[in-house]
Amino acid sequence: SSNKSAVDIAHVYRGTFVHSTDHTVVEILEDRLLGVDTEGKIAFIGSGQEVGSLSQKWGFEALAVTQLGQYEFFMPGMVDTHIHASQYSYAGTALDLPLLQWLNTYTFPVEACYKDLAFARNVYTHVVKRTLRNGTTTACYFATIHTDASLLLGQIANDFGQRALVGKVCMDTNNFVPHYRETPDESHDETNRFISEMLKKKYPLVMPVVTPRFALSCSAALLGHLGEIAKNNHLHIQSHISETKEEVKLVKELFPDYDSYTDVYHKHNLLTDKTVMAHGCHLTDEELKLFREKGASVAHCPNSNISLCSGMLDARRVLNHKVKLGLGTDVAGGYSPSMLDAVRRTLDTSKALTIQDPQYQTLTFEEVFRLATLGGSQALSLDEHTGNFQVGKDFDALRVNTAIAGGPIDLINHGEGPKVLFSLLCSPFPFLLSGDDRNIAEVYVAGKRVVPFVETT
Ligand code: GUN
Ligand code: FE
């Protein structure tokens, strides 16, 4: 027709959409029509009643609309702001030691194995599939010090269609496993090689991230080099900060001329608006102010924080400081690769803080939903592309079916429960707390269906 839009519509979905916006913690949009263009971007979102006029305006067949079922909804894909792909092979084991001993005893010896590309390919394929299957449409990965294996992780994420930041880990000091360490020059040169090789691939959804492991494993010289590399190439940066008290104390001893742990990163140009720092359990108010000033974000990794007895992040305090906050699984310090677990552990930690202090303002379900989606995309500075169903963003979405046979949510439906429970049926909350990957019928990244997996030849 004469007023047909210039954009071609590839898919149209009709049903309930649940997401967070800048103004609303959670918005439940019932009977909406959402159009995705051939580039995978959200072209329009309108009322389901207007299917006739919308199909004329946008030039799609009203009959080609995918109608969600009564107990289905779309929510934005979840954003894992901190996960070690290389530690997936031992997730669920080895949580009997505090952080620094855990690193030396289990983590460094395992990570050293990624010199072997066949081993790397096997683990990285499994971790990308497992996280996608569990609704992680965007992942911010640590790999290992090995450039070629790290490039392979980028390739695998691209092949399966996951949006990802991938970091080749940098570490040149203080490591009890001497065969898993770089010289400062190797670390610097290999980081440059990693970045240039990654950028050469022109993956649409996978980007490199500059990755000093943490202050205890990097010399000041290396931190300086990495800050320069990030600055000159305008890249993302990720690391760990203030995860345990012992670590904070050692950083103070190793870097006596700095105001704080945060200042160590800041003075090396590693605290920017594209920086995400994992944990931050023991950050001071002054440090959080510096985070806010620089636009850096915190990745809250509650499973890992509890599993390694590192601390409990006061997420409310981070939010009050207006510091960007996302959630991370931190496999294998965290034992679950699923963001659903990160949601639950975030609520648990907030409730544990409330048990300690009944005045504490517990995080709400809605706030945690937002952290897992829009919050994570903001923490990774990817909110221009993903995080909710705003027109112009990529369609990164989970098609959730709350009523799978025999699931707890299905049983509410069949029971003689109070009315208030029925009204919750199509909300995301029973899914987030009691659901699992069987409730995730489909996963989309940038408009492309990536789950169920299509076996390629
Ligand atoms: N700090 C430095 N490296 C690591 C790691 O691999 N996991 C966790 N949880 N903390 C770290
Ligand atoms: Fe970590």
Side-chain angles (χ1 to χ4, degrees):
S1 73
S2 57
N3 60 352
K4 181 181 174 299
S5 159
V7 208
D8 282 328
I9 300 300
H11 295 286
V12 181
Y13 305 92
R14 183 172 178 176
T16 300
F17 293 81
V18 183
H19 72 163
S20 304
T21 70
D22 290 337
H23 316 287
T24 320
V25 195
V26 173
E27 193 172 63
I28 298 181
L29 306 166
E30 287 178 341
D31 192 24
R32 294 304 151 101
L33 208 57
L34 182 144
V36 180
D37 69 22
T38 48
E39 314 254 84
K41 293 191 192 320
I42 300 167
F44 65 84
I45 182 158
S47 160
Q49 308 294 314
E50 292 162 25
V51 59
S53 58
L54 284 168
S55 72
Q56 276 216 323
K57 175 169 180 209
W58 293 93
F60 62 87
E61 285 288 331
L63 286 177
V65 172
T66 300
Q67 172 77 53
L68 293 195
Q70 189 186 357
Y71 298 115
E72 289 188 311
F73 64 88
F74 272 116
M75 64 173 272
M78 292 185 280
V79 180
D80 189 341
T81 61
H82 185 81
I83 173 167
H84 297 261
S86 51
Q87 296 170 17
Y88 178 65
S89 64
Y90 68 102
T93 63
L95 296 170
D96 57 333
L97 293 174
L99 175 68
L100 302 178
Q101 289 176 57
W102 175 84
L103 287 171
N104 286 324
T105 309
Y106 308 116
T107 304
F108 295 149
V110 167
E111 289 192 13
C113 300
Y114 287 75
K115 202 168 148 33
D116 175 350
L117 285 179
F119 175 72
R121 178 185 298 277
N122 187 29
V123 180
Y124 287 163
T125 300
H126 279 99
V127 70
V128 168
K129 291 180 80 170
R130 181 80 182 276
T131 53
L132 264 181
R133 183 76 201 79
N134 282 274
T136 301
T137 51
T138 300
C140 187
Y141 287 118
F142 274 60
T144 60
I145 65 172
H146 313 95
T147 304
D148 293 322
S150 305
L151 289 167
L152 192 52
L153 174 57
Q155 185 195 315
I156 291 165
N158 176 71
D159 289 350
F160 282 96
Q162 190 173 47
R163 189 184 301 278
L165 295 172
V166 176
K168 171 231 166 301
V169 174
C170 296
M171 45 196 285
D172 69 339
T173 60
N174 200 42
N175 175 350
F176 292 91
V177 184
H179 63 284
Y180 189 56
R181 186 171 55 198
E182 311 161 289
T183 67
D185 282 350
E186 272 168 359
S187 193
H188 166 261
D189 294 351
E190 287 297 298
T191 295
N192 276 327
R193 183 165 82 85
F194 173 69
I195 291 161
S196 72
E197 295 282 316
M198 274 286 271
L199 295 177
K200 245 190 255 168
K201 304 280 188 188
K202 298 201 185 313
Y203 295 134
L205 303 173
V206 179
M207 287 183 300
V209 44
V210 173
T211 307
R213 178 165 215 126
F214 69 155
L216 292 185
S217 63
C218 297
S219 63
L222 178 56
L223 291 174
H225 282 314
L226 296 177
E228 281 300 303
I229 291 173
K231 195 166 148 188
N232 295 337
N233 300 281
H234 208 71
L235 293 172
H236 283 85
I237 298 163
Q238 64 177 346
S239 191
H240 298 88
I241 197 166
S242 297
E243 181 174 357
T244 72
K245 287 185 174 163
E246 187 190 15
E247 170 201 357
V248 174
K249 184 168 160 279
L250 287 171
V251 169
K252 220 169 244 157
E253 287 168 21
L254 266 173
F255 296 88
D257 301 332
Y258 296 81
D259 294 340
S260 64
Y261 196 161
T262 303
D263 192 43
V264 174
Y265 292 131
H266 170 53
K267 290 259 163 65
H268 293 103
N269 295 311
L270 290 165
L271 201 72
T272 74
D273 61 359
K274 291 178 89 172
T275 296
V276 57
M277 288 286 169
H279 306 285
C281 304
H282 306 285
L283 290 171
T284 64
D285 286 331
E286 283 66 38
E287 290 180 283
L288 285 169
K289 276 182 198 143
L290 192 52
F291 265 75
R292 157 88 168 140
E293 200 180 295
K294 294 292 152 190
S297 63
V298 172
H300 181 20
C301 304
N303 188 317
S304 171
N305 290 342
I306 299 285
S307 292
L308 295 176
C309 297
S310 302
M312 288 195 284
L313 177 73
D314 182 346
R316 177 64 66 202
R317 190 164 66 100
V318 177
L319 293 175
N320 286 343
H321 274 280
K322 299 203 181 329
V323 171
K324 293 184 287 182
L325 184 65
L327 305 186
T329 58
D330 195 30
V331 164
Y335 54 73
S336 171
S338 169
M339 281 297 292
L340 292 173
D341 174 85
V343 164
R344 294 161 197 173
R345 300 287 93 81
T346 296
L347 282 163
D348 286 355
T349 296
S350 193
K351 288 178 178 184
L353 291 170
T354 308
I355 293 169
Q356 288 183 342
D357 171 15
Q359 302 299 308
Y360 186 77
Q361 199 188 346
T362 322
L363 294 181
T364 64
F365 278 131
E366 287 85 350
E367 285 177 301
V368 179
F369 174 91
R370 184 190 204 157
L371 293 178
T373 55
L374 185 61
S377 73
Q378 290 168 337
L380 299 182
S381 300
L382 293 174
D383 50 311
E384 211 182 293
H385 306 289
T386 187
N388 63 11
F389 297 126
Q390 197 178 306
V391 169
K393 288 194 187 185
D394 289 356
F395 185 62
D396 288 7
L398 314 182
R399 180 175 180 169
V400 179
N401 180 358
T402 61
I404 57 164
I409 300 155
D410 186 45
L411 299 178
I412 296 178
N413 189 28
H414 294 304
E416 280 300 314
K419 273 252 168 350
V420 61
L421 288 182
F422 289 101
S423 69
L424 287 172
L425 246 183
C426 212
S427 97
F429 306 124
F431 161 63
L432 288 178
L433 293 190
S434 308
D436 56 50
D437 60 304
R438 292 168 304 163
N439 296 101
I440 303 175
E442 295 176 333
V443 178
Y444 293 83
V445 181
K448 188 171 159 234
R449 202 185 75 181
V450 296
V451 170
F453 302 114
V454 184
E455 295 303 331
T456 49
T457 46

